[in-house]
Amino acid sequence: MASTEQQQRVPGTSEEEPLLGARGDASQVEGKPLYHNFVLGTGVMVQAGVWVIAAIIWGAVFSIDLSLFSAHPLLNSAAFLFLIQAILILQPTHTRKQKKQGTYVHSALNGTAFLAAVAGLVVIEYNKFSHNGTHFVSTHAILGLVTYILILIQVLAGALSFYAPGLLGGEEKAKGLYKYHRVGGYVTTVLMIFAIGAATTTDFNVNVLGIQLWAIAVASVVLVVGLAARIRLSKFGWLAGK
């Protein structure tokens, strides 16, 4: 006899358990459009958190006179927004077709996030050089640099393993990297959150923008809880003790 959890599971969903919820929760229902994944389950919490963070940053930037530097927080927050969407779209997929479709959108969103992040880096470095400023000294700058590097690694690893597995020794070896790519995505997300939080301690924010750390922290907690709740440990292979 099927267990109560299995009986309650929505047909067409995965039987794997997410960190929070019953079997089949936070998994894409067969036949449902891919875009439902953006708000599936606790995805609503994630969207609330990331959009509040973006709104706080954009609201602060557009409340003052714009300059070239303004593009830095705008582009980096946009990169963060796209990165979160890239995770959300792929998390609930479980069939071969869903994973393939999801990966195409995932890679496009990650690529967009990467381009926005690079543009944000170029803007701040140009600004630093033009004003003889210091480079990668503050906590925000150091965390930002590490995050930029991780985003680059994530984009390269993801693109090679999916689009050019032959360069990694074949499809099976490339698929073996997926679990590390997933872990890297979550680590990058957390680092970006800390980098955003650290930005509230910079002189420019303290003296000009006035973004409050507590507001970023509250929205970040909502985001992280919602994102973590949809994680299925089985996707991490031996890293999850499977």
Side-chain angles (χ1 to χ4, degrees):
M1 181 180 293
S3 67
T4 302
E5 281 188 347
Q6 289 174 322
Q7 290 174 344
Q8 292 177 344
R9 181 176 66 85
V10 177
T13 62
S14 171
E15 293 195 16
E16 299 170 348
E17 292 184 15
L19 284 184
L20 293 178
R23 295 182 185 279
D25 286 356
S27 62
Q28 183 180 348
V29 179
E30 293 182 42
K32 283 284 188 179
L34 193 65
Y35 61 77
H36 279 221
N37 293 351
F38 286 127
V39 293
L40 181 65
T42 54
V44 175
M45 291 176 60
V46 181
Q47 295 288 10
V50 72
W51 281 103
V52 166
I53 291 173
I56 290 172
I57 295 172
W58 297 347
V61 172
F62 285 114
S63 68
I64 62 173
D65 293 335
L66 296 179
S67 64
L68 177 62
F69 175 81
S70 301
H72 176 67
L74 293 175
L75 287 165
N76 278 338
S77 56
F80 181 60
L81 183 61
F82 280 114
L83 175 66
I84 295 301
Q85 305 308 317
I87 294 174
L88 288 175
I89 199 69
L90 196 57
Q91 261 188 333
T93 60
H94 58 96
T95 68
R96 184 180 181 87
K97 180 180 179 181
Q98 289 174 358
K99 289 178 180 179
K100 186 174 182 179
Q101 292 177 338
T103 301
Y104 283 127
V105 179
H106 173 80
S107 60
L109 290 168
N110 265 342
T112 303
F114 172 70
L115 292 176
V118 169
L121 174 61
V122 170
V123 167
I124 190 61
E125 283 305 293
Y126 176 83
N127 186 74
K128 292 285 187 180
F129 278 112
S130 62
H131 292 85
N132 295 317
T134 57
H135 302 264
F136 308 116
V137 174
S138 69
T139 301
H140 169 64
I142 294 171
L143 286 173
L145 177 60
V146 174
T147 302
Y148 286 133
I149 293 172
L150 282 178
I151 291 175
L152 174 60
I153 293 173
Q154 282 294 104
V155 169
L156 289 176
L160 288 175
S161 60
F162 186 74
Y163 294 106
L167 296 178
L168 299 175
E171 187 173 345
E172 287 305 312
K173 288 185 178 180
K175 286 183 177 180
L177 294 177
Y178 287 0
K179 53 182 171 290
Y180 300 106
H181 181 64
R182 293 186 184 102
V183 172
Y186 292 120
V187 170
T188 302
T189 299
V190 172
L191 276 176
M192 288 191 81
I193 289 173
F194 278 109
I196 293 171
T200 64
T201 66
T202 61
D203 291 339
F204 186 76
N205 181 70
V206 172
N207 298 323
V208 181
L209 294 180
I211 296 174
Q212 299 298 309
L213 176 59
W214 68 264
I216 297 296
V218 171
S220 297
V221 169
V222 173
L223 186 160
V224 170
V225 170
L227 198 63
R230 304 199 331 168
I231 292 175
R232 293 203 297 276
L233 292 178
S234 60
K235 286 192 172 186
F236 293 91
W238 65 268
L239 291 176
K242 301 294 183 181

